[in-house]
Amino acid sequence: QKLDHRRLAWYNVERNPSNGTVLMRGLDESIEYLVHNVIAKEGPFVGVVGFSQGAVVAATLVKLYPSNFKFAVMIGGLIPSHP
């Protein structure tokens, strides 16, 4: 699946009406895009920095690929429960 470059966010936030949990629609696609099109082609990187939604993306990258980063700086985000 090709990432839509016209998007203005890393993911869309929605609340699950049945239980109130936060859904991050599009986060998986953003991570896949970064891994295959940025990290694979322009890496390796020593660290990752993210602000707001980017902090969630940074936390997710470090969680999924811990050996690829020596540090992460996350500002004004939250800890994602997924993946």
Side-chain angles (χ1 to χ4, degrees):
Q1 179 179 359
K2 191 170 183 173
L3 186 69
D4 182 358
H5 294 286
R6 296 171 293 167
R7 289 176 37 181
L8 300 176
W10 288 109
Y11 54 87
N12 294 316
V13 178
E14 299 174 16
R15 197 160 291 278
N16 185 333
S18 64
N19 61 14
T21 58
V22 174
L23 303 172
M24 298 178 188
R25 301 222 187 265
L27 180 59
D28 294 339
E29 291 86 356
S30 292
I31 296 297
E32 183 179 323
Y33 174 82
L34 289 170
V35 168
H36 296 293
N37 295 288
V38 179
I39 295 171
K41 293 178 181 177
E42 299 179 30
F45 296 97
V46 176
V48 60
V49 177
F51 171 75
S52 190
Q53 283 195 344
V56 174
V57 172
T60 304
L61 284 170
V62 171
K63 184 176 180 180
L64 293 175
Y65 305 98
S67 62
N68 289 350
F69 305 101
K70 292 184 180 180
F71 74 90
V73 177
M74 295 160 278
I75 305 161
L78 56 90
I79 299 172
S81 59
H82 167 75

